[in-house]
mmCIF file of all heavy atoms in Angstrom:
data_model
loop_
_atom_site.group_PDB
_atom_site.id
_atom_site.type_symbol
_atom_site.label_atom_id
_atom_site.label_comp_id
_atom_site.label_asym_id
_atom_site.label_seq_id
_atom_site.Cartn_x
_atom_site.Cartn_y
_atom_site.Cartn_z
ATOM 1 N N VAL T 5 -57.063 -33.723 177.479
ATOM 2 C CA VAL T 5 -57.117 -32.655 176.481
ATOM 3 C C VAL T 5 -58.036 -31.552 176.962
ATOM 4 O O VAL T 5 -59.088 -31.827 177.532
ATOM 5 C CB VAL T 5 -57.645 -33.208 175.130
ATOM 6 C CG1 VAL T 5 -57.630 -32.110 174.090
ATOM 7 C CG2 VAL T 5 -56.787 -34.379 174.687
ATOM 8 N N ILE T 16 -65.103 -48.714 180.950
ATOM 9 C CA ILE T 16 -66.071 -49.740 180.582
ATOM 10 C C ILE T 16 -65.366 -51.088 180.572
ATOM 11 O O ILE T 16 -64.301 -51.243 179.975
ATOM 12 C CB ILE T 16 -66.676 -49.452 179.196
ATOM 13 C CG1 ILE T 16 -67.447 -48.130 179.257
ATOM 14 C CG2 ILE T 16 -67.588 -50.571 178.747
ATOM 15 C CD1 ILE T 16 -68.042 -47.746 177.934
ATOM 16 N N GLU T 20 -69.083 -54.785 179.019
ATOM 17 C CA GLU T 20 -69.930 -53.647 178.655
ATOM 18 C C GLU T 20 -69.641 -53.140 177.251
ATOM 19 O O GLU T 20 -70.369 -52.320 176.736
ATOM 20 C CB GLU T 20 -69.719 -52.494 179.637
ATOM 21 C CG GLU T 20 -70.227 -52.792 181.026
ATOM 22 C CD GLU T 20 -69.855 -51.663 181.958
ATOM 23 O OE1 GLU T 20 -68.657 -51.364 182.072
ATOM 24 O OE2 GLU T 20 -70.752 -51.079 182.554
ATOM 25 N N ALA T 61 -72.459 -34.845 161.262
ATOM 26 C CA ALA T 61 -71.250 -34.079 160.965
ATOM 27 C C ALA T 61 -71.187 -33.713 159.482
ATOM 28 O O ALA T 61 -70.464 -34.330 158.701
ATOM 29 C CB ALA T 61 -70.016 -34.899 161.363
ATOM 30 N N GLU T 95 -67.664 -30.437 159.801
ATOM 31 C CA GLU T 95 -66.406 -30.999 159.295
ATOM 32 C C GLU T 95 -65.912 -30.138 158.130
ATOM 33 O O GLU T 95 -66.188 -30.412 156.963
ATOM 34 C CB GLU T 95 -66.613 -32.457 158.884
ATOM 35 C CG GLU T 95 -66.999 -33.323 160.079
ATOM 36 C CD GLU T 95 -67.040 -34.810 159.789
ATOM 37 O OE1 GLU T 95 -67.107 -35.175 158.593
ATOM 38 O OE2 GLU T 95 -67.023 -35.596 160.741
ATOM 39 N N SER T 141 -55.038 -28.279 166.891
ATOM 40 C CA SER T 141 -54.048 -28.565 167.940
ATOM 41 C C SER T 141 -54.314 -29.929 168.576
ATOM 42 O O SER T 141 -53.379 -30.643 168.962
ATOM 43 C CB SER T 141 -54.069 -27.472 169.008
ATOM 44 O OG SER T 141 -55.347 -27.391 169.622
ATOM 45 N N ASP T 191 -33.345 -44.271 162.224
ATOM 46 C CA ASP T 191 -33.400 -42.924 162.796
ATOM 47 C C ASP T 191 -32.503 -41.975 162.021
ATOM 48 O O ASP T 191 -32.834 -40.804 161.821
ATOM 49 C CB ASP T 191 -32.956 -42.959 164.263
ATOM 50 C CG ASP T 191 -34.024 -43.560 165.153
ATOM 51 O OD1 ASP T 191 -35.192 -43.644 164.708
ATOM 52 O OD2 ASP T 191 -33.705 -43.944 166.290
ATOM 53 N N PRO T 211 -51.246 -53.622 159.815
ATOM 54 C CA PRO T 211 -50.766 -55.015 159.805
ATOM 55 C C PRO T 211 -50.841 -55.592 158.396
ATOM 56 O O PRO T 211 -51.757 -55.284 157.633
ATOM 57 C CB PRO T 211 -51.728 -55.732 160.743
ATOM 58 C CG PRO T 211 -52.273 -54.656 161.626
ATOM 59 C CD PRO T 211 -52.331 -53.424 160.787
ATOM 60 N N MET T 239 -51.824 -37.420 158.468
ATOM 61 C CA MET T 239 -51.516 -35.982 158.460
ATOM 62 C C MET T 239 -50.789 -35.663 157.160
ATOM 63 O O MET T 239 -49.805 -36.327 156.810
ATOM 64 C CB MET T 239 -50.630 -35.603 159.648
ATOM 65 C CG MET T 239 -51.299 -35.721 161.016
ATOM 66 S SD MET T 239 -52.430 -34.364 161.414
ATOM 67 C CE MET T 239 -51.283 -33.082 161.889
ATOM 68 N N PRO T 288 -67.151 -47.221 169.189
ATOM 69 C CA PRO T 288 -68.583 -46.918 169.276
ATOM 70 C C PRO T 288 -69.377 -47.975 168.510
ATOM 71 O O PRO T 288 -68.801 -48.804 167.800
ATOM 72 C CB PRO T 288 -68.689 -45.558 168.587
ATOM 73 C CG PRO T 288 -67.600 -45.606 167.550
ATOM 74 C CD PRO T 288 -66.471 -46.375 168.191
ATOM 75 N N GLY T 309 -83.684 -33.774 139.597
ATOM 76 C CA GLY T 309 -84.542 -32.703 140.096
ATOM 77 C C GLY T 309 -84.050 -32.180 141.433
ATOM 78 O O GLY T 309 -82.856 -32.249 141.745
ATOM 79 N N GLU T 351 -91.221 -41.523 169.438
ATOM 80 C CA GLU T 351 -91.804 -42.608 170.238
ATOM 81 C C GLU T 351 -91.674 -43.961 169.544
ATOM 82 O O GLU T 351 -91.514 -44.991 170.208
ATOM 83 C CB GLU T 351 -93.281 -42.312 170.507
ATOM 84 C CG GLU T 351 -93.504 -41.081 171.388
ATOM 85 C CD GLU T 351 -94.966 -40.663 171.438
ATOM 86 O OE1 GLU T 351 -95.771 -41.254 170.675
ATOM 87 O OE2 GLU T 351 -95.299 -39.757 172.222
ATOM 88 N N ILE T 355 -83.596 -48.437 165.833
ATOM 89 C CA ILE T 355 -82.574 -48.651 164.810
ATOM 90 C C ILE T 355 -82.718 -50.043 164.193
ATOM 91 O O ILE T 355 -82.331 -50.275 163.043
ATOM 92 C CB ILE T 355 -81.155 -48.461 165.407
ATOM 93 C CG1 ILE T 355 -80.128 -48.204 164.288
ATOM 94 C CG2 ILE T 355 -80.756 -49.636 166.262
ATOM 95 C CD1 ILE T 355 -80.254 -46.856 163.641
ATOM 96 N N GLU T 356 -83.318 -50.979 164.950
ATOM 97 C CA GLU T 356 -83.491 -52.340 164.442
ATOM 98 C C GLU T 356 -84.435 -52.415 163.247
ATOM 99 O O GLU T 356 -84.376 -53.359 162.463
ATOM 100 C CB GLU T 356 -84.010 -53.256 165.555
ATOM 101 C CG GLU T 356 -83.024 -53.523 166.671
ATOM 102 C CD GLU T 356 -82.910 -52.375 167.664
ATOM 103 O OE1 GLU T 356 -83.788 -51.468 167.634
ATOM 104 O OE2 GLU T 356 -81.951 -52.365 168.459
ATOM 105 N N ARG T 371 -95.094 -35.246 147.559
ATOM 106 C CA ARG T 371 -96.097 -34.209 147.331
ATOM 107 C C ARG T 371 -97.437 -34.608 147.956
ATOM 108 O O ARG T 371 -98.095 -33.783 148.593
ATOM 109 C CB ARG T 371 -96.264 -33.975 145.825
ATOM 110 C CG ARG T 371 -97.201 -32.824 145.488
ATOM 111 C CD ARG T 371 -97.413 -32.686 143.990
ATOM 112 N NE ARG T 371 -98.329 -31.615 143.711
ATOM 113 C CZ ARG T 371 -98.001 -30.346 143.520
ATOM 114 N NH1 ARG T 371 -96.731 -29.994 143.568
ATOM 115 N NH2 ARG T 371 -98.909 -29.431 143.289
ATOM 116 N N PHE T 503 -135.680 -23.483 141.812
ATOM 117 C CA PHE T 503 -135.269 -23.365 140.415
ATOM 118 C C PHE T 503 -135.418 -24.704 139.701
ATOM 119 O O PHE T 503 -135.864 -24.777 138.559
ATOM 120 C CB PHE T 503 -133.813 -22.871 140.353
ATOM 121 C CG PHE T 503 -133.343 -22.519 138.983
ATOM 122 C CD1 PHE T 503 -133.792 -21.378 138.340
ATOM 123 C CD2 PHE T 503 -132.428 -23.332 138.309
ATOM 124 C CE1 PHE T 503 -133.343 -21.038 137.066
ATOM 125 C CE2 PHE T 503 -131.985 -23.003 137.035
ATOM 126 C CZ PHE T 503 -132.441 -21.855 136.414
ATOM 127 N N LYS T 512 -128.131 -34.500 138.722
ATOM 128 C CA LYS T 512 -127.102 -34.112 137.768
ATOM 129 C C LYS T 512 -127.651 -33.239 136.650
ATOM 130 O O LYS T 512 -126.965 -32.312 136.186
ATOM 131 C CB LYS T 512 -126.453 -35.366 137.181
ATOM 132 C CG LYS T 512 -125.270 -35.077 136.276
ATOM 133 C CD LYS T 512 -124.633 -36.366 135.776
ATOM 134 C CE LYS T 512 -123.452 -36.070 134.871
ATOM 135 N NZ LYS T 512 -122.821 -37.320 134.364
ATOM 136 N N PHE T 515 -127.781 -29.754 138.411
ATOM 137 C CA PHE T 515 -126.555 -29.175 138.948
ATOM 138 C C PHE T 515 -125.443 -29.008 137.905
ATOM 139 O O PHE T 515 -124.681 -28.043 137.978
ATOM 140 C CB PHE T 515 -126.051 -30.017 140.129
ATOM 141 C CG PHE T 515 -126.934 -29.925 141.332
ATOM 142 C CD1 PHE T 515 -127.718 -30.999 141.725
ATOM 143 C CD2 PHE T 515 -127.007 -28.753 142.072
ATOM 144 C CE1 PHE T 515 -128.545 -30.912 142.827
ATOM 145 C CE2 PHE T 515 -127.832 -28.653 143.178
ATOM 146 C CZ PHE T 515 -128.606 -29.736 143.561
ATOM 147 N N LEU T 522 -122.719 -20.931 135.850
ATOM 148 C CA LEU T 522 -122.295 -20.016 136.919
ATOM 149 C C LEU T 522 -120.783 -19.980 137.130
ATOM 150 O O LEU T 522 -120.220 -18.934 137.453
ATOM 151 C CB LEU T 522 -122.982 -20.392 138.232
ATOM 152 C CG LEU T 522 -124.490 -20.106 138.299
ATOM 153 C CD1 LEU T 522 -125.096 -20.721 139.557
ATOM 154 C CD2 LEU T 522 -124.757 -18.600 138.268
ATOM 155 N N GLY T 542 -116.903 -10.258 144.907
ATOM 156 C CA GLY T 542 -117.266 -9.180 143.994
ATOM 157 C C GLY T 542 -117.903 -8.009 144.706
ATOM 158 O O GLY T 542 -117.679 -6.841 144.353
#
Side-chain angles (χ1 to χ4, degrees):
V5 183
I16 297 178
E20 292 174 303
E95 297 188 342
S141 60
D191 286 343
M239 292 283 282
E351 294 170 353
I355 199 71
E356 292 78 14
R371 185 184 178 89
F503 189 72
K512 186 177 180 180
F515 291 109
L522 290 171

